[in-house]
Amino acid sequence: MAASISLSTMLKMNRFIQIIAIIGFLGAAQFVSAEGGSVPPVQIRLTLDLPQGENAHEVEARVPPLKFDKRLLMSYTLDDDTVTAYCNIFSCINQHWITRGVFFNHLGYPHSTGFLPEKTLGYSDGTGIEKRFAIGVAVWPQSGNKWLPNFMDEKKPPTGPYDPYLKWYEIPTMLDFGCSVYEHDTCTDAILPPDASKEVRDASYKDADMIARCFPKCLEITKRNLNGRGFKVLIEPNGNYTYCVAARKFPPIKVVVNQGAGGKSIKLRPLSMVPDFETSVLERRFYNNCPIEEEFAHIEKLASDPDPIWYHLSTHGASDSIMQLLRLINDRWGKDGSDEVWFATVDEYYEYCFMRKGIRIEKRVKNDRQVEFLLTIPQDVDFHYQDLSLVVEGLARPELSRATADTSVYALSFAKKEDRLLINVGFNPESPRRAERYVARLEEERSKEAKRDAEYFVSQLRPELQPPFEKRIAAVSLRQPIEIRKIVVERSDPTRPRERRVIFETDRRPHEYKACIGWLDPESVPWVEFDPEKPILVTIPEKSRFLRADNTIDVAVVVRDSEGESRMVGTTISAQ
């Protein structure tokens, strides 16, 4: 409070700053009036055909506390524009190649030495359809320095693999897979005069009004770069609670999350409570670099509670240990474990609560074995997670002969869950568009990664929409494993008579190679990053079990890329 009062006093002493403050306030007010309206609700007609012997009059439907009727809610957020959100965590979750030979691997850059995760990380929707873990990225849209005026804009020419910042062009791919973007930090310096003192600059980050006046610019930058998609969540930066206060002054921000400091946030128990998002500050847990086994034990303790707390982990970067933690969560509570978790973003949870709280369900019995539910589902500005789960009760046998819905429903699945029936309804028009986009990518690239992605998005559609996409996927002939077409071994340096240079030709650029004397077991030789600018050298030993009586020896090479390994190819050379 003292810092805010001090800044207000300073503003009164500077007429120029006062004018800027008035203009900024009016701009924010105009923006809010343009964004403040809600959008019409979605209406869906869902018809259930019941098995013989059921009574439609006794059937009721409700929306469960968590999507897919799960028991655990977990989330993960990365702060501060880090590209490791894409090249490590996103790739780990979706079984994309993870590069290790260079500092960072941006979208579209050549792969280098690294590895392919052995499986995807996720959970099921309760009816056998896979859903991937979705993460949030808390960005600083205005941030930059004298070398990079905006960290998130791709520099021309590209800044390359040593640029640690997530780029705007990379985020749409992450959004396709369910990820979210949150507002994080601002630049109050941008609305101060150039000659403002350090005291004024420092105080501006403790003044809620000053911070709030930066949000419209941050939102404008975000929407411009993400095809109109904005943010509705603030992730408190640097433990500065003033941001949480400022967020309440900017209506497009619907959810505020802090770091749990000072007792100002709530520990949410989603099975038994729905927060008042207008006033509540939700809590997240910042990873303190403890051993990953210790963090996993903490999660196990939370998960064992009959009314578990929402586990929301945050970090400033994505280390190998965090990827290991996500694998452990997948294997314990995800699709390869008990399948109890809904691993969602803050956006997704907020939108689900919004729809659950305001939904109107009207039942009409058409006959004893057929019941129709009319769902009137509220929506708001910038909604992107347009799917709901219903629990249907009152059935002696929780089964269905058939479920049908309007053509505006793009995903529809159902299954028995204990003594009730679970129905998932998706009405996001982006669903078929994403299936089209990723099937087309498969047809162009013909890679295993593209096929996994295409099959994933097609699996999200209701069954009758899948066949045309499945037919196109089946028609694609995948690229063959990388092939070594030619190998040559030659002397490289007269001063090093036992050194040889290995030159090989492949049908496409490999990520890594192994070059060895003799036909060694490939596991005994490490992979080396392939760089066409660096020579590949081997040393001929004076004594070797691979040396023949005629003083010849074999040199063998194997290469690999994200599609797999080549066969090992060798040639015989003189050892002299």
Side-chain angles (χ1 to χ4, degrees), residues 181-470:
V181 171
Y182 314 136
E183 167 63 6
H184 193 42
D185 223 322
T186 64
C187 291
T188 53
D189 283 359
I191 58 174
L192 291 173
D195 60 349
S197 67
K198 182 179 184 302
E199 184 181 10
V200 169
R201 295 180 187 280
D202 291 345
S204 68
Y205 286 98
K206 292 295 184 180
D207 187 282
D209 290 329
M210 292 286 285
I211 293 171
R213 282 167 43 212
C214 294
F215 289 146
K217 183 62 175 178
C218 291
L219 186 56
E220 185 272 325
I221 293 171
T222 303
K223 285 192 164 190
R224 186 175 71 241
N225 284 282
L226 297 182
N227 196 29
R229 178 161 172 167
F231 54 73
K232 55 176 161 295
V233 175
L234 172 87
I235 299 291
E236 175 196 63
N238 311 312
N240 183 356
Y241 192 78
T242 308
Y243 274 81
C244 301
V245 177
R248 298 305 183 196
K249 300 174 179 287
F250 187 61
I253 294 178
K254 307 296 184 183
V255 188
V256 177
V257 182
N258 81 345
Q259 293 174 209
K264 296 177 181 179
S265 56
I266 63 171
K267 294 183 182 295
L268 177 63
R269 297 182 183 273
L271 294 182
S272 60
M273 60 186 287
V274 177
D276 179 358
F277 290 102
E278 298 288 331
T279 59
S280 299
V281 175
L282 306 182
E283 183 175 298
R284 62 175 174 151
R285 173 184 173 86
F286 227 87
Y287 179 58
N288 60 5
N289 295 317
C290 66
I292 212 65
E293 295 79 11
E294 184 178 321
E295 185 67 23
F296 186 70
H298 170 75
I299 307 173
E300 283 191 309
K301 183 177 180 181
L302 295 181
S304 66
D305 192 314
D307 190 14
I309 292 171
W310 174 25
Y311 175 73
H312 181 180
L313 184 70
S314 291
T315 65
H316 279 114
S319 62
D320 288 350
S321 62
I322 294 298
M323 291 190 283
Q324 179 191 353
L325 180 64
L326 293 185
R327 294 186 194 103
L328 291 173
I329 291 173
N330 171 83
D331 294 347
R332 176 65 176 85
W333 300 285
K335 65 181 176 64
D336 297 308
S338 62
D339 201 23
E340 297 175 272
V341 70
W342 174 27
F343 204 102
T345 67
V346 181
D347 276 32
E348 185 176 8
Y349 177 63
Y350 166 76
E351 291 183 20
Y352 183 80
C353 289
F354 185 98
M355 292 185 286
R356 178 183 177 228
K357 181 179 179 180
I359 190 172
R360 188 168 72 249
I361 303 176
E362 302 174 57
K363 184 179 80 171
R364 184 166 73 92
V365 176
K366 303 182 77 171
N367 57 59
D368 286 347
R369 291 182 53 197
Q370 191 174 71
V371 61
E372 180 181 270
F373 292 105
L374 178 63
L375 312 178
T376 303
I377 307 169
Q379 300 289 285
D380 205 352
V381 175
D382 240 341
F383 267 36
H384 302 279
Y385 298 90
Q386 294 165 304
D387 56 330
L388 273 178
S389 296
L390 294 174
V391 169
V392 177
E393 299 168 316
L395 293 166
R397 291 177 298 146
E399 300 171 359
L400 285 183
S401 300
R402 188 176 63 158
T404 56
D406 306 322
T407 55
S408 60
V409 171
Y410 303 102
L412 181 61
S413 61
F414 58 89
K416 175 183 177 181
K417 183 170 184 181
E418 299 171 352
D419 61 345
R420 54 197 183 272
L421 184 73
L422 173 66
I423 302 179
N424 298 315
V425 180
F427 46 96
N428 189 341
E430 280 298 306
S431 297
R433 295 171 193 159
R434 286 171 178 154
E436 170 59 37
R437 186 154 59 246
Y438 285 86
V439 170
R441 177 189 162 213
L442 167 63
E443 292 169 329
E444 179 181 355
E445 294 186 8
R446 300 188 299 112
S447 67
K448 293 177 183 177
E449 178 184 294
K451 184 177 182 182
R452 284 191 297 271
D453 290 348
E455 290 174 336
Y456 175 71
F457 284 103
V458 172
S459 74
Q460 307 304 301
L461 301 175
R462 59 191 294 175
E464 54 266 43
L465 297 179
Q466 295 182 15
F469 294 112
E470 291 173 335

